[in-house]
Amino acid sequence: MGRVAVIGYAATPVGRLQPRPGDVGDLEHEVLADVVLRAVEMAQVDKSDIGGLSFAQPRPYTQQKYFGTFMASYLQLPCDGFVAEVLGNGMTGGLAFEHAADNIRSGRAKVALALGVNYETAVSSGEHMMSSMRAVGDVDFQAPFGITPIAWYAMDMMRYMHEFGATREDVATVAVKNRHHASLNPLAQYRKPITLDEVLAQPTIVHPLGLYEVPPRSDGAVCLVLADEDVARASGRPYVLVRGTGFHHEGAHQITATPNDMIALNAAQKAGGQAFAEAGLKPSDLDFAEPYAPCTIVEVLVSEALGIVPRGAGAKFAAEGRTSLGGDIPISTSGGLTSRGHPAYVTPLYNLLEAVEQLMHQAGERQVQDAAIGLATAELGNYNAALVHILERVS
């Protein structure tokens, strides 16, 4: 089975792209097509070399159904390998990447695109919340009571502070750190630096999480060009190799009803263990990490679950600057989901793009010096499922 490399990438800045009803604006396929052209140009591959298209399925609000087939037609891009859309809630973009990678490993394609577009910001908050509640909870038991993902994470944060003595201020420094990182990222939705006092002064969303500690609604489009390592090597240019992959699903829908350690993130532990074992590496080998972390507390918990920071120390590491650029292990160098933005179905592709850009040494002012090994994650539910990729620079 061939090894998989990433040789090109492009994305729109995260923000508000979706036209409001009655307004004129760029349609999803137009925005994504531009991103594809830029990514393929960077990869320096011919259109005829592309054997597969793995799409993150668009949001249910999209007007164009069978979007992947429509895009293949719009791009005039016949494929011998596959054209497919995948869906896995917050993990959707990561599954699209893994679908493309698997088809390269199996030999069905030498070059494949993992791509997607997420439009949601012009949809009313009420419609969006109703859709979200039907997705993330049991429609017969949980949805009628208004359970939302932010409520899960708020409960996790309360438990974490109780068990480890962390303060809300400690956790809130994650938002300050990530906004600083986002201020250096031209793709980020929110780039104005913020202070700890400003974070603490924001309206409460679900106690104890405030406005700056939860993700915004976001639009975005992204494309990664994957290739068999032979193709990447023949280019004579640096590329990024997928060194290790891990996945685990607990068999629970979004949040488990089985008594467990609710802040251990068992799925992330298992998926991370698989990825590190396949890569032949350990957490201390990482130069940076780009986790899927919708809220400040989630970054803390997943960093601990992956062994990047000691259990119970994640919030204090952030407060001490040890997870900032220039610190022991920079985390969320893109600005993370709270500041880079969270176009949910393609968020994992943005995380992977950040990791690839760091490893290509193209991250500008936020570049991690001599970055050689990085990690990106995707998750489903309250981390009841996790997908972990470990990536390596090849010069």
Side-chain angles (χ1 to χ4, degrees):
M1 295 179 68
R3 298 209 297 179
V4 178
V6 183
I7 58 176
Y9 56 85
T12 67
V14 179
R16 294 182 176 272
L17 306 177
Q18 184 181 31
R20 295 189 176 278
D23 289 348
V24 176
D26 293 326
L27 301 176
E28 288 162 299
H29 66 275
E30 296 171 327
V31 171
L32 184 56
D34 176 69
V35 168
V36 169
L37 293 176
R38 290 192 284 121
V40 171
E41 181 180 20
M42 178 184 179
Q44 296 183 24
V45 295
D46 190 82
K47 181 178 180 178
S48 62
D49 295 329
I50 300 170
L53 303 172
S54 291
F55 291 88
Q57 188 178 102
R59 282 294 206 177
Y61 321 122
T62 184
Q63 296 300 304
Q64 181 62 60
K65 302 302 180 181
Y66 291 139
F67 187 79
T69 297
F70 179 85
M71 279 301 303
S73 172
Y74 187 72
L75 295 167
Q76 291 294 290
L77 189 52
C79 296
D80 291 329
F82 56 91
V83 175
E85 296 177 43
V86 300
L87 177 65
N89 210 1
M91 196 179 285
T92 296
L95 293 175
F97 181 88
E98 190 58 18
H99 181 263
D102 276 343
N103 279 275
I104 289 172
R105 294 181 186 113
S106 70
R108 290 191 61 83
K110 283 287 189 180
V111 178
L113 308 184
L115 69 167
V117 57
N118 185 105
Y119 265 19
E120 65 176 58
T121 57
V123 175
S124 72
S125 296
E127 181 181 352
H128 183 69
M129 183 55 69
M130 288 301 295
S131 176
S132 178
M133 287 192 296
R134 290 172 60 204
V136 303
D138 180 330
V139 295
D140 293 321
F141 177 67
Q142 293 168 322
F145 299 97
I147 188 71
T148 68
I150 304 305
W152 310 335
Y153 302 136
M155 288 188 286
D156 291 343
M157 185 165 166
M158 292 297 289
R159 185 69 191 179
Y160 184 83
M161 292 191 296
H162 169 75
E163 285 200 17
F164 297 111
T167 65
R168 181 168 177 234
E169 288 78 5
D170 291 336
V171 179
T173 58
V174 172
V176 179
K177 166 188 72 74
N178 286 350
R179 184 61 68 86
H180 169 63
H181 291 173
S183 74
L184 308 175
N185 184 3
L187 294 181
Q189 185 170 3
Y190 294 104
R191 301 185 61 191
K192 181 182 177 181
I194 52 178
T195 66
L196 180 58
D197 286 342
E198 288 174 320
V199 174
L200 298 174
Q202 296 309 304
T204 298
I205 303 302
V206 181
H207 179 77
L209 292 166
L211 181 65
Y212 289 171
E213 298 162 275
V214 304
R217 289 175 61 190
S218 314
D219 302 326
V222 57
C223 177
L224 298 175
V225 183
L226 284 66
D228 184 270
E229 190 179 15
D230 289 344
V231 174
R233 191 182 296 115
S235 73
R237 292 175 284 114
Y239 57 90
V240 172
L241 186 68
V242 179
R243 274 286 297 270
T245 303
F247 173 85
H248 181 73
H249 194 298
E250 292 181 311
H253 180 61
Q254 310 299 333
I255 186 167
T256 181
T258 304
N260 70 340
D261 183 342
M262 65 185 288
I263 57 174
L265 303 192
N266 173 64
Q269 288 184 31
K270 291 190 174 182
Q274 294 170 15
F276 282 114
E278 183 177 289
L281 298 168
K282 51 188 182 300
S284 59
D285 293 319
L286 295 175
D287 294 307
F288 65 91
E290 189 69 20
Y292 187 110
C295 301
T296 48
I297 186 59
V298 184
E299 179 178 304
V300 169
L301 296 179
V302 72
S303 300
E304 294 181 10
L306 293 169
I308 297 171
V309 299
R311 183 84 194 271
K316 294 192 181 300
F317 267 46
E320 294 168 0
R322 298 173 69 174
T323 57
S324 300
L325 285 166
D328 299 358
I329 175 67
I331 297 176
S332 299
T333 56
S334 70
L337 279 59
T338 55
S339 287
R340 190 274 318 283
H342 185 31
Y345 282 10
V346 294
T347 287
L349 290 173
Y350 272 96
N351 287 2
L352 286 157
L353 184 150
E354 174 67 18
V356 170
E357 195 162 47
Q358 287 285 351
L359 294 170
M360 290 281 203
H361 296 174
Q362 298 294 317
E365 293 180 89
R366 69 186 190 287
Q367 179 64 54
V368 175
Q369 186 174 6
D370 300 324
I373 303 287
L375 174 148
T377 75
E379 63 94 21
L380 183 77
N382 190 15
Y383 262 97
N384 71 284
L387 177 61
V388 177
H389 288 102
I390 296 174
L391 308 173
E392 177 183 34
R393 172 182 172 85
V394 179
S395 299

